[in-house]
């Protein structure tokens, strides 16, 4: 009996393996499925049918008028995005990311530099400011200025003790080189920032003025009788015989003209490119000991012994402007370079310093008495500050 029951159980187990549990109609395979059809091998080769996609009218209108770039036309759809390269192999995603990284770093550095510049306040002009109404700037000494500035600016303080008499000095246009000429014949040209000497001469005769030509490689010296031109090594190149008994020299860099005036009262324009005098004007006002130029229009300003100031150009035989500036002789002239030559400062033997508006010569803009004794020398800075040297002080 037990054997019959065991045989029946084995038959039931076999039946269950063959047929399995009853199937749920909801989980049945679709008709187009390869497992739900009678021909199993035939349907697997064809694959399932793709459902139809809706076409957007805007995308279709754009796609008709667009094309794939030529550099990407040869790339297949199977190429992975990480291996995307252009045809010339000069541009890769890695190079593009590297460039963006550097641009971001440069922007950060530029922003930091801008913040530092705002701290320095470069748009404001530096000047000497008094702390109270009773303090005066002309009482401040060089030592006081050095003690109030930083270590970096202290290096630019230079002091030379010369024994060649009264000196005339001239800087190059970039302010790097300086040339000096002493009344006893000592002439030197050097780089004041590094202290490198270009040349040094002992001419053993009176030297009244000195000026650079185009750059520091050549300079002209007004000696006792004539004007001489030297190179950077101190070798004499030319002697200008037409310029006799000269007291002041100026050079017009944009016209290559060397201008001179002296005790005879004759103004000469010498073209250094061809070596000839192109214009000669007789001032008819006696000896002249002060001359300057307007760097913006190349007009020459002369100060005469009778207190008049005249303005000259090469193409006019008469002065363009004639002004009675002082009751005594004019000792110094200077044109403000920061205002396009708008203001002119003069000093005279009457002990007065005056500022004139070159647009209107009806009267001086400002006038005051000079401090100290002796003849005053005036000069404008590049930022529009006027310095007056008299009696051993600079105001």
């Amino acid at each position: 009996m037990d054997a019959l029951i065991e045989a029946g159980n084995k038959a039931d187990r076999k039946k269950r393996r063959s047929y399995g549990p009853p199937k749920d109609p909801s989980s049945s395979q679709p008709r187009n499925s390869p497992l739900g059809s009678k021909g199993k091998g035939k349907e697997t080769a064809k694959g399932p049918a793709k459902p139809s996609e809706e076409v957007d009218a805007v995308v279709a209108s754009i796609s008709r008028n667009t094309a794939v770039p030529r550099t990407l036309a040869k790339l297949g759809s199977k190429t992975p995005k990480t291996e995307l390269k252009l045809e010339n192999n000069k541009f890769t995603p890695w190079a593009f990311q590297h460039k963006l990284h550097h641009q971001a770093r440069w922007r950060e550095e530029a922003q930091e530099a801008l913040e530092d510049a705002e701290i320095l306040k470069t748009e404001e002009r530096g000047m000497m400011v008094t702390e109270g109404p009773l303090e005066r700037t002309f009482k401040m000494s060089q030592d006081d200025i050095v003690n109030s500035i930083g270590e970096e600016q202290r290096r630019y303080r230079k002091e030379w003790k010369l024994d060649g008499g009264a000196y005339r000095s001239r800087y190059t246009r970039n302010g790097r080189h300086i040339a000096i000429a002493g009344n006893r014949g000592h002439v030197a040209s050097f780089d004041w920032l590094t202290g490198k000497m270009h040349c040094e001469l002992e001419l053993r005769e009176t030297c009244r003025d000195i000026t650079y030509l185009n750059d520091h490689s050549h300079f002209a010296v007004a000696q006792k009788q004539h004007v001489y031109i030297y190179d950077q090594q101190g070798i004499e190149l030319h002697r200008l015989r037409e310029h006799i008994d000269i007291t002041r020299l100026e050079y017009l860099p944009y016209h290559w003209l060397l201008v001179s005036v002296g005790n005879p009262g004759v103004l000469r324009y010498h073209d250094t490119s061809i070596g000839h005098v192109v214009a000669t004007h007789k001032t008819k006002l006696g000896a002249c000991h002060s001359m300057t130029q307007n760097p913006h229009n190349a007009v020459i300003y002369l100060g005469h012994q009778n207190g008049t100031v005249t303005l000259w150009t090469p193409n006019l035989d008469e002065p363009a402007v004639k002004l009675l500036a002082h009751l005594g002789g004019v000792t110094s002239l200077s044109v403000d370079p920061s205002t396009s030559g708008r203001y002119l400062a003069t000093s005279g033997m009457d002990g007065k310093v005056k500022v004139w508006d070159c647009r209107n010569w009806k009267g001086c803009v400002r006038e005051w008495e000079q401090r100290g004794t002796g003849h005053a020398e005036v000069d404008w800075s590049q930022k529009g500050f006027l310095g007056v040297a008299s009696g051993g002080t600079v105001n």
Side-chain angles (χ1 to χ4, degrees):
M1 189 68 183
D2 295 333
L4 293 174
I5 293 172
E6 185 177 358
N9 292 335
K10 289 181 179 181
D12 291 337
R13 285 196 296 269
K14 291 180 180 180
K15 186 176 180 179
R16 288 173 185 172
R17 289 191 194 123
S18 61
Y19 294 101
K23 297 181 180 180
D24 187 5
S26 62
S27 63
S28 60
Q29 297 291 337
R31 292 183 180 180
N32 55 0
S33 176
L35 299 177
S37 59
K38 295 181 179 180
K40 296 181 180 180
K42 296 180 181 181
E43 292 292 331
T44 54
K46 294 182 180 179
K50 297 181 180 180
S52 60
E53 298 179 356
E54 296 182 1
V55 180
D56 191 357
V58 178
V59 176
S61 62
I62 296 174
S63 61
R64 287 196 299 267
N65 299 324
T66 57
V68 179
R70 294 180 180 179
T71 56
L72 301 176
K74 296 182 180 181
L75 297 176
S77 60
K78 297 182 180 180
T79 305
K81 295 182 179 180
T82 56
E83 298 179 0
L84 182 61
K85 294 183 179 181
L86 297 184
E87 186 177 1
N88 53 9
N89 295 327
K90 294 183 179 179
F91 180 82
T92 60
W94 176 85
F96 183 66
Q97 293 176 4
H98 187 68
K99 183 177 180 180
L100 291 178
H101 174 71
H102 278 280
Q103 288 180 353
R105 189 179 65 181
W106 292 338
R107 284 193 295 268
E108 293 177 358
E109 293 178 355
Q111 184 65 25
E112 294 177 358
L114 180 60
E115 294 175 357
D116 295 340
E118 291 177 356
I119 295 175
L120 296 176
K121 296 182 180 180
T122 55
E123 68 277 1
E124 298 181 2
R125 297 177 177 178
M127 58 184 300
M128 296 172 59
V129 181
T130 59
E131 296 180 356
L134 299 178
E135 188 177 1
R136 295 292 182 266
T137 56
F138 68 88
K139 295 182 179 180
M140 185 174 292
S141 63
Q142 291 288 330
D143 295 334
D144 296 336
I145 297 175
V146 171
N147 295 331
S148 61
I149 60 178
E151 290 291 338
E152 185 67 21
Q153 286 74 22
R154 292 179 186 179
R155 299 190 302 107
Y156 299 110
R157 183 195 178 186
K158 306 293 182 181
E159 184 177 358
W160 301 285
K161 295 182 179 180
L162 307 172
D163 55 357
Y167 276 84
R168 299 284 298 180
S169 62
R170 194 68 59 95
Y171 284 91
T172 54
R173 285 185 290 169
N174 59 6
R176 182 64 181 269
H177 307 273
I178 183 174
I180 58 175
N183 193 23
R184 300 178 184 176
H186 178 226
V187 176
S189 174
F190 55 93
D191 186 343
W192 71 269
L193 189 61
T194 60
K196 180 182 178 181
M197 180 70 68
H198 301 314
C199 66
E200 187 175 10
L201 305 174
E202 288 290 346
L203 301 179
R204 297 181 181 180
E205 65 176 357
T206 303
C207 295
R208 301 187 181 95
D209 201 2
I210 188 171
T211 183
Y212 281 111
L213 300 186
N214 290 317
D215 53 14
H216 67 281
S217 60
H218 297 85
F219 59 91
V221 182
Q223 297 178 204
K224 185 176 180 180
Q225 293 183 352
H226 303 287
V227 176
Y228 294 83
I229 296 179
Y230 300 88
D231 64 356
Q232 188 175 358
Q233 288 74 29
I235 300 174
E236 180 183 331
L237 301 178
H238 303 286
R239 181 175 63 175
L240 308 181
R241 299 176 181 272
E242 299 88 352
H243 303 263
I244 302 173
D245 200 5
I246 301 301
T247 57
R248 292 293 178 265
L249 292 173
E250 284 290 340
Y251 185 75
L252 307 180
Y254 299 104
H255 304 80
W256 292 49
L257 294 176
L258 179 63
V259 187
S260 67
V261 69
N263 291 323
V266 179
L267 179 67
R268 289 184 174 88
Y269 291 84
H270 196 111
D271 192 341
T272 58
S273 61
I274 60 177
H276 297 293
V277 177
V278 295
T280 302
H281 300 318
K282 295 181 179 181
T283 61
K284 301 177 183 179
L285 295 173
C288 181
H289 296 279
S290 58
M291 178 174 63
T292 188
Q293 64 166 309
N294 190 335
H296 296 276
N297 54 17
V299 176
I300 296 297
Y301 294 69
L302 299 180
H304 303 278
Q305 295 298 315
N306 59 355
T308 59
V309 175
T310 55
L311 278 65
W312 296 86
T313 57
N315 56 342
L316 295 178
D317 295 333
E318 298 294 331
V321 176
K322 191 174 183 180
L323 170 70
L324 180 60
H326 295 272
L327 299 179
V330 180
T331 59
S332 181
L333 298 167
S334 183
V335 179
D336 185 7
S338 64
T339 58
S340 301
R342 182 182 302 176
Y343 296 106
L344 169 69
T346 61
S347 63
M349 292 183 179
D350 55 357
K352 294 183 179 181
V353 179
K354 298 182 181 180
V355 178
W356 306 83
D357 191 346
C358 298
R359 301 171 299 176
N360 185 3
W361 299 100
K362 292 183 179 180
C364 62
V365 178
R366 189 178 176 184
E367 177 184 357
W368 66 90
E369 296 286 341
Q370 71 180 37
R371 298 183 178 90
T373 58
H375 301 323
E377 290 284 339
V378 296
D379 195 7
W380 290 94
S381 69
Q382 293 180 347
K383 293 186 177 181
F385 294 99
L386 179 62
V388 181
S390 61
T393 60
V394 179
N395 304 313

